[in-house]
Amino acid sequence: MLLSALRHRLRERPPLPPVPPPASAPPRPPFAFSPRRLRLGPQHPLLEDGDVQRHLYLREALTGRAEEAERPRVSEFYCHISGCSQVFDTLEGYEHHYNALHRNVCSFCRRSFPSGHLLDIHISEWHDSLFQIMAEKQNMYKCLVEGCVEKFKSSKDRKDHLVTVHLYPADFRFDRPKKAKSGAKHVSCPTDHDGSVLMDVSVETSEQLQADHMEVVPSESMEVPQPAASPSLPEKRLYKSRIPSTICFGQGATRGFKGPRKKV
Amino acid sequence: MWGRRRGAGPGGGAEELRARRREREAALRKARREQQLVSKRLLREDEAERGHDGAGDAAEAVLEPVLQGEVSELLRGVQRGSEDRRRWLRCLRRALQSKETQQEFVRLDGAVRTLVGLFTCSLPDVQLEAARCLHELSHSSDAAVAEACVPVTSYLLTYLSGHSIELMELCLYTLGNLVVESEVVRKKLLPQGIIPVLASCIQSPHEAVLEGLGYVLSQLLQAKEAPAEIIPLVLDSVLPQHMLRLVCSGLKFGTGAAVEFAWCLHYIVCSHTANVELMSLGAVPALTSLLCDIAFEISQSDSEGLELLICPVLRCLGNLLAEETGHEVQPQDERLLVALFVVMQCYLQQHPFIIPESLWLINNLTADEPFFCSALLSMDLLPALLQLLPHSQTVSVLVLTVLCNIAEKGPAYCQQLHQQAALPLLLHVLMVPDPEVVGQCLELLHLLFLHWPQVAVDFVRQGGHQTLEQHQSTPELQERVRALLDMALQPQDASVFSSPSAASSTFSQMM
Ligand SMILES: [Zn+2]
Ligand SMILES: [Zn+2]
Ligand SMILES: [Zn+2]
């Protein structure tokens, strides 16, 4: 049969002759056929071949972006955010940098958040002067999990909720109550008594790498010049990293700051 | 995006590749029969890391395991926090492509914790590199390795609410791999809010994100506890309408994502828990029109990979139309039938797995709808259907069932089947030594004889009764063979058409 004729029918729909009236009769033994629409469950043998093809595809598919070294180069440019001096020569590198570091930044304290949801919560808890007043009368601490509408009396209650209801880790990084402005380099899980604490500390002190994501405070940041790429690295990297100062989230010392609420 | 996958590389002759593919298929079949069929996807950066065997599982494209002790050296390098931490992470990531190295790594004290720490740090490229390491671990074929990554799930979800496409993609494929690891993992992800996160993520305009998201969701929906515990949550969200939208725009935008979401819909539909909801979203007309567009597309150009979109779309339509209320939402649109014949014709050689599934859908269309029976006949689709008869046992039975659906609609339909020369091919079918195929053929002949007696006359004239007699000794066919012979020979002078011995044997058995 001609594929072209069929293709035509997919677009044009020439009229069909009238449908003759059906005249069915029930099956007479020993014959048993009667028309049936069939529902196939996920394990039906008829679907085996298709499932096999699907899984071959999943296993063989290699999804990937171009290697960084192969990405189209643009002439080097600096991040335009004031105070940030990182240099890029690929748009992808910049895109990730911008979104990770500058996208959800608190305009009051310059802390950076992984999501708009966490930033919103931060702003109201840290910078909204009404928040504390309201919190004395009603539950104001919103759950950090998107889609959960629970509110709590304190950040402590929220933590309990996160751990018991949402099965979050007890040391969830984005829910550390702020202790003091200078606090902070020490990040450890209270249950750790072994080398991993040391490891964590060394991670964060040796390079002043702030393992927490929360904040970038220009005034307190220091720049760590990174060496030009070693010969084994194909791409040239001029890297100046901003060092966030403190680990903080939740109710905090700078609360009460007054000013227009705006998001970056 | 769609074109970037499945890079076939050099290596091995064509025959050897085919043989290895068959081996893989056999292993998957076995896993499926044992209800153990799960797969993971790999997201990797560069071609050089992917191995050179185009037919290989992605997982097999690995480097040699690093030497004993080197893994802890790598970990120390990463932990030391020197300026070239990122270089150490990169070496680690490459090393983690080997299963042995993965196993050694997760046993090291604080190893996964270090990765989680770096993954959540505020240095964007350190974070990305750590995410890639975690992804390699999640892809491990050793469940213990993948499960070592479970502490990272809440962070994976957190970053999905962010905006970095590259990071989101990594988080998604890592999640998708972890999801199939065990029910324990899924039991953790649900309270952590994976469904609401995915529901807001699905509104992303980025193809790469959407494809990864579809992958996660398809992995979730395949779980055995999905009908009771996951699908209700999905239905309560905005996901279904977006999934349907993304499947239906799959030809114009984001085929990779459409493939994933189409499989998601299939898993939902065949769980048989949500079909009223899906039909009220207009799934049947939407998928019908998609299938027509795809058929049009493949009829004019080789569109590599569309079979993986067609397959789940067919299945959704098949199962939705099998619902009690299915025929109410079914548009009387003959193009669906045309599309199915186009698909079968285009894929008969290359992707034969699509044939039985198409025929199943044709069965569901023709079973209760004279409209589709009549359309099949009047659009000259019958020859294409009859051509499929010798294809395989399953296909033969399905073709005969569709023909029965048509014949069952009465004299006008049987007359047309007869006019369009179905009979000679049925005589061939009677010679097949397969009782199931022959049995279905007997049912069809009965309907034809009953509604259009001229078929019986021509049947005898062409010697069909002699062929029939060969099946008299087959227990499951005996009775029907006898009844058919009776019908065929009764109105005629038996001695004219049949050999005396045949006639007498018939009569003797009737006694
Ligand atoms: Zn910047
Ligand atoms: Zn702030
Ligand atoms: Zn909550």
Side-chain angles (χ1 to χ4, degrees):
Chain A
M1 189 190 13
L2 290 172
L3 212 48
S4 58
L6 286 181
R7 189 160 58 225
H8 172 71
R9 286 220 174 255
L10 283 171
R11 285 288 182 265
E12 298 298 325
R13 297 193 78 181
L16 295 171
V19 179
S24 307
R28 301 184 216 174
F31 297 95
F33 177 82
S34 71
R36 273 191 316 136
R37 284 176 285 151
L38 298 174
R39 191 162 63 219
L40 303 189
Q43 290 297 321
H44 195 282
L46 193 77
L47 305 184
E48 181 178 284
D49 285 346
D51 284 354
V52 165
Q53 297 307 314
R54 159 72 176 163
H55 281 265
L56 274 178
Y57 163 73
L58 285 179
R59 291 174 183 210
E60 289 172 11
L62 285 162
T63 315
R65 295 167 162 255
E67 168 69 29
E68 283 173 47
E70 294 160 9
R71 288 176 185 173
R73 299 283 134 159
V74 292
S75 51
E76 287 182 352
F77 61 97
Y78 288 87
C79 174
H80 71 276
I81 302 294
S82 74
C84 180
S85 47
Q86 189 154 347
V87 180
F88 300 89
D89 61 359
T90 68
L91 291 174
E92 285 89 348
Y94 174 69
E95 193 248 330
H96 176 66
H97 164 89
Y98 177 83
N99 284 314
L101 228 55
H102 303 311
R103 178 117 184 177
N104 296 300
V105 172
C106 172
S107 57
F108 302 110
C109 66
R110 312 306 302 164
R111 288 181 175 84
S112 167
F113 295 82
S115 72
H117 180 65
L118 291 174
L119 173 63
D120 284 346
I121 292 178
H122 161 84
I123 291 175
S124 67
E125 293 179 14
W126 286 61
H127 306 301
D128 186 338
S129 51
L130 274 179
F131 183 88
Q132 265 315 297
I133 302 165
M134 303 282 284
E136 278 158 26
K137 299 188 192 110
Q138 50 184 295
N139 293 348
M140 289 292 284
Y141 289 87
K142 286 187 191 158
C143 180
L144 303 184
V145 176
E146 237 166 302
C148 177
V149 295
E150 295 287 316
K151 292 181 178 179
F152 304 91
K153 218 164 60 243
S154 65
S155 59
K156 162 86 173 59
D157 288 358
R158 171 171 61 201
K159 184 191 265 312
D160 291 344
H161 166 82
L162 281 172
V163 171
T164 56
V165 174
H166 297 298
L167 309 183
Y168 266 44
D171 60 346
F172 187 61
R173 271 177 197 282
F174 309 126
D175 189 31
R176 292 237 170 75
K178 172 147 200 245
K179 293 185 184 111
K181 190 110 173 93
S182 61
K185 288 292 193 265
H186 183 72
V187 181
S188 69
C189 170
T191 58
D192 272 312
H193 300 294
D194 57 5
S196 60
V197 170
L198 285 175
M199 178 281 294
D200 252 14
V201 171
S202 77
V203 161
E204 284 157 25
T205 52
S206 61
E207 197 187 73
Q208 288 91 30
L209 164 64
Q210 184 53 63
D212 282 63
H213 195 310
M214 304 305 280
E215 58 278 298
V216 178
V217 184
S219 57
E220 297 171 28
S221 72
M222 44 190 288
E223 291 184 352
V224 176
Q226 305 251 332
S230 61
S232 65
L233 294 175
E235 78 276 11
K236 183 175 167 205
R237 281 174 62 247
L238 298 170
Y239 191 107
K240 291 175 184 165
S241 97
R242 330 204 84 267
I243 303 305
S245 60
T246 57
I247 301 152
C248 48
F249 189 72
Q251 179 190 348
T254 58
R255 171 179 52 83
F257 178 88
K258 287 181 183 176
R261 272 189 63 162
K262 60 180 198 296
K263 279 195 250 169
V264 174
Chain B
M1 293 291 173
W2 183 236
R4 74 190 176 184
R5 60 208 69 253
R6 303 183 121 189
E15 193 43 54
E16 191 186 323
L17 287 179
R18 265 196 296 278
R20 291 178 59 183
R21 189 176 171 94
R22 275 196 298 274
E23 251 169 59
R24 274 170 224 287
E25 289 182 0
L28 293 177
R29 262 176 238 288
K30 180 166 174 290
R32 184 182 189 271
R33 285 176 193 152
E34 292 162 359
Q35 307 209 10
Q36 304 284 331
L37 184 54
V38 292
S39 300
K40 295 180 175 185
R41 271 184 79 164
L42 187 61
L43 190 66
R44 262 190 208 157
E45 274 209 324
D46 54 350
E47 210 56 50
E49 288 175 37
R50 293 180 192 180
H52 296 289
D53 176 12
D57 269 18
E60 284 176 18
V62 294
L63 305 180
E64 290 297 305
V66 296
L67 295 172
Q68 200 78 31
E70 280 182 31
V71 185
S72 44
E73 177 63 24
L74 285 171
L75 176 62
R76 271 196 301 279
V78 167
Q79 286 174 339
R80 251 197 314 273
S82 51
E83 308 84 27
D84 54 354
R85 167 180 271 143
R86 184 160 171 256
R87 196 170 61 88
W88 281 106
L89 272 170
R90 251 178 118 129
C91 296
L92 177 63
R93 189 234 310 168
R94 282 169 195 257
L96 288 179
Q97 292 177 19
S98 129
K99 187 174 167 185
E100 288 76 19
T101 311
Q102 294 166 351
Q103 289 166 330
E104 199 184 336
F105 180 81
V106 298
R107 282 195 294 262
L108 292 174
D109 199 25
V112 172
R113 235 180 98 76
T114 302
L115 279 187
V116 174
L118 296 171
F119 172 57
T120 54
C121 83
S122 58
L123 297 174
D125 31 17
V126 168
Q127 179 187 33
L128 267 186
E129 210 56 74
R132 291 186 190 116
C133 291
L134 286 164
H135 177 66
E136 291 292 342
L137 293 175
S138 78
H139 188 263
S140 180
S141 53
D142 179 351
V145 172
E147 276 177 20
C149 301
V150 167
V152 81
T153 52
S154 58
Y155 297 108
L156 292 170
L157 293 174
T158 300
Y159 288 114
L160 286 188
S161 306
H163 295 277
S164 166
I165 309 308
E166 200 164 357
L167 185 64
M168 286 168 88
E169 214 184 346
L170 274 163
C171 290
L172 286 164
Y173 285 96
T174 304
L175 273 172
N177 290 345
L178 294 179
V179 154
V180 290
E181 209 46 78
S182 71
E183 192 174 349
V184 180
V185 178
R186 296 187 291 270
K187 282 247 150 68
K188 202 169 165 193
L189 282 165
L190 291 176
Q192 286 183 345
I194 188 169
I195 300 298
V197 168
L198 296 181
S200 72
C201 218
I202 203 171
Q203 297 167 49
S204 162
H206 301 281
E207 252 180 85
V209 168
L210 292 170
E211 182 172 349
L213 188 139
Y215 169 63
V216 177
L217 208 50
S218 77
Q219 298 284 76
L220 270 176
L221 292 168
Q222 271 177 95
K224 60 182 188 312
E225 77 276 14
E229 287 165 32
I230 299 171
I231 292 174
L233 299 176
V234 170
L235 288 180
D236 262 352
S237 72
V238 296
L239 284 166
Q241 72 211 57
H242 286 287
M243 285 156 70
L244 189 60
R245 169 181 63 83
L246 290 163
V247 171
C248 292
S249 58
L251 268 187
K252 295 167 221 95
F253 165 87
T255 307
V259 168
E260 297 305 317
F261 288 115
W263 284 91
C264 290
L265 286 180
H266 161 60
Y267 296 129
I268 296 180
V269 168
C270 75
S271 81
H272 193 48
T273 57
N275 293 347
V276 174
E277 287 90 336
L278 287 175
M279 286 195 281
S280 69
L281 289 174
V284 172
L287 295 174
T288 298
S289 133
L290 172 67
L291 197 62
C292 292
D293 291 343
I294 298 176
F296 192 79
E297 179 78 21
I298 63 173
S299 70
Q300 49 182 196
S301 65
D302 292 342
S303 308
E304 177 72 23
L306 283 179
E307 72 278 6
L308 289 164
L309 177 58
I310 294 174
C311 174
V313 169
L314 280 181
R315 291 177 177 193
C316 288
L317 283 170
N319 271 327
L320 288 172
L321 294 178
E323 289 291 315
E324 283 314 316
T325 54
H327 59 277
E328 289 163 23
V329 293
Q330 170 189 322
Q332 297 231 319
D333 185 343
E334 77 285 358
R335 284 176 303 180
L336 178 51
L337 208 51
V338 176
L340 289 167
F341 277 90
V342 169
V343 167
M344 289 196 293
Q345 207 154 6
C346 292
Y347 284 164
L348 184 59
Q349 301 304 326
Q350 263 194 307
H351 307 294
F353 76 91
I354 220 87
I355 308 297
E357 301 197 13
S358 303
L359 288 168
W360 161 57
L361 178 48
I362 295 175
N363 171 70
N364 284 1
L365 289 173
T366 51
D368 297 320
E369 284 293 328
F371 170 80
F372 284 105
C373 297
S374 164
L376 193 152
L377 294 168
S378 63
M379 292 190 296
D380 287 328
L381 298 172
L382 188 63
L385 185 64
L386 293 172
Q387 257 174 29
L388 295 170
L389 269 174
H391 192 261
S392 73
Q393 194 248 10
T394 310
V395 167
S396 302
V397 172
L398 286 164
V399 168
L400 290 166
T401 307
V402 171
L403 293 171
C404 284
N405 288 341
I406 298 171
E408 189 267 350
K409 302 294 177 288
Y413 296 82
C414 290
Q415 181 190 10
Q416 287 202 51
L417 284 172
H418 190 42
Q419 278 172 359
Q420 296 191 31
L423 190 55
L425 282 153
L426 299 183
L427 289 171
H428 277 288
V429 172
L430 283 183
M431 291 188 251
V432 173
D434 182 320
E436 203 189 337
V437 174
V438 174
Q440 198 68 349
C441 190
L442 300 183
E443 296 285 346
L444 176 58
L445 287 170
H446 167 250
L447 291 167
L448 291 168
F449 291 3
L450 181 73
H451 291 300
W452 201 249
Q454 184 58 38
V455 180
V457 174
D458 292 338
F459 179 77
V460 173
R461 194 172 285 150
Q462 292 171 32
H465 57 298
Q466 284 158 340
T467 318
L468 259 190
E469 281 160 5
Q470 294 167 8
H471 296 290
Q472 286 196 90
S473 54
T474 312
E476 64 264 50
L477 302 176
Q478 251 167 20
E479 256 190 295
R480 285 180 287 179
V481 167
R482 237 174 281 141
L484 268 187
L485 283 172
D486 208 26
M487 278 178 97
L489 299 174
Q490 206 169 32
Q492 302 150 24
D493 182 1
S495 61
V496 174
F497 298 108
S498 93
S499 68
S501 65
S504 67
S505 72
T506 306
F507 284 114
S508 64
Q509 282 172 22
M510 300 284 282
M511 297 298 168

